Amino acid sequence: MASQGTKRKLDQESSDSSRESPLTTDMEIMLKAKQITKRVTDNLDHTIIMHRDIMSKINKMNKVSSKKATIGIFGKSGVGKSSLLSAVLGKKDLLPSGCFGACTAVVTQVEANLTDSNYIAEIELFSKEEWEKDLKDIFRVLSDDSEDRNDDLFEISVEKITALYGADADKKTLEELQTDDKFAEIKTFLSINKKTISNNDVSIFANDVASYIVHSESSPGGWYWPLVKSVTFKVPDCHELLEHTVLVDIPGTGDCNKLRDDKWKSKLRECSFVWIVSAIDRASTDKDPWGILKHCIEELGPGGECKSINFICTKTDDINPPAYIRSTRLPISGDKDQKKLCILHRNKNAKTRVKEKFENSEIKKRFSTDDNFLNVFTVSSNAFFEHNLLLEPNETEIPKLQDDLRILNKNINRDLTRDYVNEAKGVLSLIQSVQLDRDKKTHETKVKVYMELEKDLKKALNEMDSHFDTIYTDLEQFLSKGVDESVQLCVASTKAIICPNIDKRGFHKILQALCKNDGCYWSKNWDVIIDLNRQLAKHLQEYINEYFNLIFPVTGTTGKSVQEQIDKFSIIQSDSASPGSPILHHIQNFIKIEETNLKASLKTDVVDTKKNIYSSIQTTIEKEMSSCYEQAAAVTGIGSMKKRQELLITTVDKIKHDMFKKAKSEMLKNFSNLKLHIKDTLESGLKRSMGLSLSKTRNIKLMDVSREIEQLERLAEQLSN
């Protein structure tokens, strides 16, 4: 116990530690480290303040869980996303066919169930108030028989109302629908906010969840996806693949519901990796996946955290050998493995074509990345499960995707284990420094060290401040040039968007929808994407993109990044303490590890904040244009399109100087706030740690943890090896 001071008895496990064989997995190392910290906390006295502080730090260590890596999945309905995910997870028929992408803009994600053997679906629903607003919007669209009616929104509205209430529900008025028994049932249903479906039988589970995520035109009524914001699937026995990873379907939009649209965009910015899914016969020619990716560059690149892209060509077993042989002139007409040879030949060609298209695209330039950024897979989900389809498991390339997930999860687990071991070493170093503090001379030395550290902290903060001021100045210069360019070109850019030199028939509907959706129009099938806010932000962003990628790179070092300045920061100098002073060695070790922990927490903050910094340009423009969009959307009657066009052009010309200056100021303000947050976090955190380790502790008794520190150092060495 604490009162025993240095004279505690070590238990058998501790005394035999020198004879322990090396641990082989990260899980074993983590478990061992937690056993060591538990032995320590069992010897602490919660009535003593210092002991409580140490216990609090260890409890916090045990509760910390990392943010999961998000893999975003792009692809239209029908390209085989559901089958792909079921195959990668090794669970045939887990996800109902068509559940990915079928429901317009419902965000669907898949993660591991780490608690039991059940398949779980957590379904987030709209509130009653949100659905009532959506319902009014639906009937406003359905009742619109003017020439300005938007056909995409009309089609989506019909899909929603008939999915819930059955055929011909779109022919009824809202008042008539309110007398339907289903109306009262839905109102009661929405009071729960979230519905959970759980079953250990995958077939029963898939059937139970289908009505909330699948759309069926052939059997309308009783499909609840219009009420759903998002669905999270939790799959058992996927520890190796999904412990630290979540797979998120990035569906098309075009939905008139802004809540879904905002959720969709926020998920985009979270993606660390992207899977583009396309049927192999159209992989390089299909405009949809490439168009979606191109339109989302800002959310994934400078405004996000995407590190790599997997382009996945599906349905490789779906091939007509005679037709393929004729079209490619392959000399294999009499070969008994004709179909397999055709599949493998087409796979090879598809990989080459996709890589060539990416190399020559604007997308690669915008991501500022290396040659390993894009990987191409050619997969067959059917052949992975059905071994009579000629292909070996490895030739389906499903195992390669599984290995990708395993490696990603293993790396995250390794980092978490390493962080825990190092943090535990820091806490135990604090304990050991207190245990060694036994005389007045030692305390005087500690006071001297405190003053030196305080001086070094001030110096390090000033150096960091100087680097950040340089970044601020450079960023301001690039923004100023971008503002001048934007002011000159914004009117012409606006005209190019809203007065296109194309067939005008039907464009008045698109323009009205754009105004109603705050300056953005995405058709239901992604074939038309018009975003006035993005167009207005374009010139300003083009001036800062290259520099922004230098100060906020997604991966690697640039010599100028904010994160590199944080990494360089340190108040511990290599010669700041005598090697012959054990107590100062432990104090230094504790401070150094606390410093590392603070910098690690800031890394996440920097990534999250840089997304807001970059998106602030477009957000400011949308805000400044919002009243104009509202006025333009309200214009009706003969000549309404021309009136909307004139209103938008006139407004842009009128507010352009103030609008772009505000966008510049907002970005600089957000950067300044990040700088202050970084400095405050480091200063307050280190002062707190310095106060804890260098305070007067001669009368506080703590156990001797030198043996435990040695054990943790051996665990750290095993992780390094």
Side-chain angles (χ1 to χ4, degrees):
M1 297 297 293
S3 61
Q4 292 174 303
T6 62
K7 297 181 181 180
R8 65 157 175 106
K9 288 186 178 181
L10 296 173
D11 57 47
Q12 187 64 36
E13 181 182 2
S14 179
S15 63
D16 291 343
S17 63
S18 61
R19 297 193 294 272
E20 289 178 350
S21 59
L23 302 175
T24 57
T25 68
D26 296 332
M27 187 180 296
E28 289 175 339
I29 292 174
M30 177 71 88
L31 181 61
K32 180 65 178 175
K34 288 189 174 183
Q35 288 172 347
I36 292 170
T37 56
K38 186 177 186 305
R39 285 206 308 271
V40 172
T41 54
D42 288 345
N43 281 275
L44 294 174
D45 185 347
H46 72 276
T47 63
I48 300 173
I49 293 176
M50 170 65 84
H51 289 216
R52 287 206 303 270
D53 290 339
I54 292 170
M55 280 191 281
S56 176
K57 291 186 75 65
I58 292 176
N59 289 336
K60 187 177 178 182
M61 283 165 46
N62 290 331
K63 291 177 182 177
V64 167
S65 60
S66 73
K67 176 184 173 183
K68 292 190 175 186
T70 299
I71 299 177
I73 304 174
F74 288 91
K76 290 177 67 176
S77 179
V79 298
K81 286 190 288 183
S82 301
S83 299
L84 171 68
L85 266 292
S86 294
V88 168
L89 300 178
K91 312 282 186 182
K92 190 176 182 181
D93 300 325
L94 166 64
L95 303 172
S97 178
C99 76
F100 281 93
C103 305
T104 311
V106 175
V107 174
T108 309
Q109 61 187 51
V110 181
E111 56 188 60
N113 177 6
L114 301 173
T115 57
D116 57 40
S117 60
N118 284 340
Y119 296 88
I120 298 171
E122 294 178 349
I123 302 168
E124 182 187 5
L125 303 167
F126 287 114
S127 68
K128 286 190 289 186
E129 294 75 20
E130 289 167 344
W131 172 242
E132 285 170 3
K133 183 180 182 303
D134 199 16
L135 198 57
K136 288 178 182 177
D137 289 338
I138 288 171
F139 274 93
R140 176 180 51 78
V141 172
L142 292 175
S143 62
D144 184 2
D145 56 3
S146 70
E147 65 172 12
D148 290 338
R149 188 183 78 185
N150 181 272
D151 293 336
D152 278 341
L153 293 184
F154 185 83
E155 186 179 337
I156 291 168
S157 297
V158 171
E159 284 181 357
K160 287 182 177 182
I161 210 69
T162 55
L164 280 167
Y165 296 103
D168 298 329
D170 56 308
K171 306 293 192 299
K172 298 179 181 179
T173 65
L174 178 56
E175 290 72 23
E176 288 172 334
L177 207 62
Q178 287 172 338
T179 63
D180 193 305
D181 291 341
K182 181 71 77 175
F183 192 91
E185 177 191 327
I186 288 172
K187 197 170 183 179
T188 304
F189 175 65
L190 290 176
S191 63
I192 61 175
N193 294 325
K194 180 181 283 189
K195 181 176 180 62
T196 301
I197 296 172
S198 178
N199 203 295
N200 60 11
D201 185 301
V202 66
S203 297
I204 296 174
F205 170 78
N207 288 334
D208 289 346
V209 82
S211 60
Y212 299 94
I213 57 176
V214 173
H215 174 70
S216 173
E217 292 183 1
S218 62
S219 178
W223 302 101
Y224 294 100
W225 63 261
L227 309 175
V228 176
K229 281 186 186 178
S230 66
V231 180
T232 299
F233 291 98
K234 295 188 176 181
V235 184
D237 307 319
C238 290
H239 185 276
E240 280 191 335
L241 300 177
L242 296 180
E243 180 183 6
H244 302 294
T245 309
V246 56
L247 305 170
V248 181
D249 180 42
I250 306 296
T253 184
D255 195 338
C256 54
N257 190 291
K258 187 168 173 57
L259 289 167
R260 279 205 187 104
D261 200 43
D262 291 343
K263 195 173 186 72
W264 175 84
K265 287 182 178 179
S266 70
K267 284 295 180 184
L268 265 181
R269 297 187 183 104
E270 292 175 11
C271 293
S272 301
F273 308 92
V274 164
W275 290 4
I276 303 174
V277 185
S278 181
I280 191 168
D281 57 348
R282 299 187 63 199
S284 62
T285 58
D286 192 351
K287 293 180 180 179
D288 291 311
W290 297 96
I292 295 170
L293 184 59
K294 182 180 177 181
H295 190 76
C296 298
I297 286 176
E298 277 75 21
E299 282 79 12
L300 294 171
E305 53 180 291
C306 180
K307 298 178 178 68
S308 71
I309 293 174
N310 286 344
F311 197 107
I312 303 172
C313 307
T314 57
K315 302 185 178 182
T316 61
D317 61 286
D318 186 6
I319 193 169
N320 182 329
Y324 185 77
I325 290 169
R326 285 194 299 271
S327 66
T328 58
R329 297 178 179 175
L330 277 178
I332 58 171
S333 58
D335 198 298
K336 65 176 182 178
D337 291 330
Q338 184 184 97
K339 182 172 182 179
K340 179 174 180 177
L341 291 172
C342 288
I343 290 171
L344 296 179
H345 183 269
R346 185 173 65 172
N347 288 355
K348 183 179 179 181
N349 284 347
K351 289 186 178 186
T352 301
R353 290 197 304 270
V354 169
K355 286 183 178 179
E356 285 176 351
K357 183 160 185 174
F358 179 75
E359 289 297 320
N360 297 321
S361 70
E362 178 190 344
I363 299 168
K364 183 183 179 182
K365 298 173 188 175
R366 292 299 305 276
F367 277 109
S368 302
T369 186
D370 56 32
D371 293 335
N372 297 319
F373 184 72
L374 178 78
N375 300 293
V376 185
F377 295 80
T378 48
V379 307
S380 170
S381 304
N382 287 337
F384 179 73
F385 287 117
E386 303 293 338
H387 301 302
N388 60 346
L389 294 180
L390 303 175
L391 295 178
E392 296 295 323
N394 284 341
E395 290 171 331
T396 70
E397 299 203 1
I398 294 294
K400 289 184 180 180
L401 283 170
Q402 292 173 330
D403 286 344
D404 255 19
L405 289 176
R406 285 193 188 95
I407 291 168
L408 175 59
N409 274 282
K410 186 175 181 180
N411 289 340
I412 295 173
N413 209 45
R414 174 64 51 86
D415 290 341
L416 287 172
T417 305
R418 184 183 292 112
D419 291 345
Y420 186 91
V421 171
N422 287 335
E423 198 166 349
K425 279 170 57 183
V427 174
L428 267 59
S429 291
L430 172 63
I431 293 173
Q432 194 65 5
S433 70
V434 173
Q435 196 271 337
L436 293 172
D437 186 6
R438 289 291 169 263
D439 54 52
K440 184 178 179 181
K441 185 178 179 180
T442 302
H443 183 68
E444 289 173 352
T445 304
K446 285 171 64 177
V447 172
K448 183 180 178 181
V449 170
Y450 184 93
M451 294 174 68
E452 288 178 0
L453 288 174
E454 203 170 36
K455 181 181 174 182
D456 290 337
L457 175 59
K458 186 176 181 180
K459 180 183 176 183
L461 287 170
N462 286 336
E463 289 176 356
M464 176 179 278
D465 203 32
S466 176
H467 285 296
F468 285 160
D469 285 345
T470 300
I471 292 174
Y472 182 97
T473 301
D474 291 343
L475 184 60
E476 184 177 27
Q477 290 175 357
F478 286 112
L479 283 167
S480 295
K481 292 177 182 177
V483 167
D484 293 340
E485 182 88 350
S486 298
V487 168
Q488 285 183 345
L489 300 177
C490 63
V491 173
S493 296
T494 302
K495 289 178 179 178
I497 284 284
I498 67 171
C499 305
N501 188 23
I502 59 172
D503 185 353
K504 301 292 192 298
R505 287 175 297 179
F507 186 75
H508 64 285
K509 298 179 182 180
I510 292 175
L511 185 59
Q512 185 191 39
L514 177 144
C515 295
K516 287 182 176 179
N517 200 39
D518 296 323
C520 181
Y521 170 79
W522 296 0
S523 66
K524 183 185 176 187
N525 296 318
W526 286 85
D527 51 345
V528 179
I529 302 174
I530 303 175
D531 193 333
L532 181 54
N533 301 314
R534 181 158 294 189
Q535 184 72 6
L536 290 171
K538 177 182 175 182
H539 304 295
L540 193 47
Q541 289 174 336
E542 284 177 346
Y543 265 89
I544 67 162
N545 278 337
E546 186 176 348
Y547 187 68
F548 198 86
N549 285 331
L550 288 177
I551 59 176
F552 294 113
V554 175
T555 59
T557 58
T558 64
K560 294 184 177 181
S561 74
V562 168
Q563 189 56 50
E564 285 173 86
Q565 298 307 322
I566 295 172
D567 293 339
K568 289 177 186 175
F569 179 93
S570 182
I571 64 171
I572 299 295
Q573 309 302 321
S574 58
D575 57 351
S576 60
S578 168
S581 173
I583 187 171
L584 296 186
H585 165 76
H586 288 297
I587 289 172
Q588 270 196 333
N589 193 39
F590 170 67
I591 296 294
K592 186 70 177 176
I593 291 172
E594 288 290 287
E595 191 178 76
T596 300
N597 293 336
L598 287 170
K599 292 192 283 188
S601 70
L602 281 171
K603 187 172 185 177
T604 301
D605 295 344
V606 168
V607 171
D608 290 340
T609 305
K610 77 109 175 185
K611 299 173 189 178
N612 295 328
I613 292 174
Y614 190 84
S615 64
S616 65
I617 292 176
Q618 190 169 325
T619 302
T620 302
I621 289 171
E622 183 177 335
K623 184 178 178 182
E624 293 299 304
M625 289 289 295
S626 61
S627 61
C628 174
Y629 292 138
E630 189 176 345
Q631 292 174 43
V635 174
T636 57
I638 298 173
S640 58
M641 183 172 81
K642 187 175 181 181
K643 290 176 184 176
R644 289 192 189 103
Q645 290 169 331
E646 290 174 350
L647 179 57
L648 289 167
I649 293 167
T650 303
T651 301
V652 168
D653 193 35
K654 180 181 178 182
I655 69 173
K656 60 186 179 182
H657 291 280
D658 286 342
M659 178 168 67
F660 293 117
K661 284 180 181 177
K662 283 181 180 178
K664 169 190 168 181
S665 298
E666 190 66 22
M667 176 171 268
L668 291 172
K669 183 182 79 172
N670 288 338
F671 180 80
S672 294
N673 290 340
L674 174 62
K675 181 186 82 168
L676 290 173
H677 172 68
I678 291 169
K679 288 179 62 182
D680 289 347
T681 299
L682 290 170
E683 185 174 16
S684 61
L686 286 172
K687 281 187 173 180
R688 188 164 53 248
S689 298
M690 287 158 52
L692 189 61
S693 64
L694 299 170
S695 58
K696 188 174 181 180
T697 57
R698 275 183 292 156
N699 297 325
I700 298 174
K701 304 296 182 181
L702 284 172
M703 61 189 281
D704 180 354
V705 291
S706 56
R707 190 73 62 88
E708 281 76 7
I709 291 174
E710 289 175 8
Q711 288 179 305
L712 289 171
E713 286 173 347
R714 281 195 290 275
L715 293 180
E717 187 178 350
Q718 289 179 43
L719 284 167
S720 298
N721 292 335

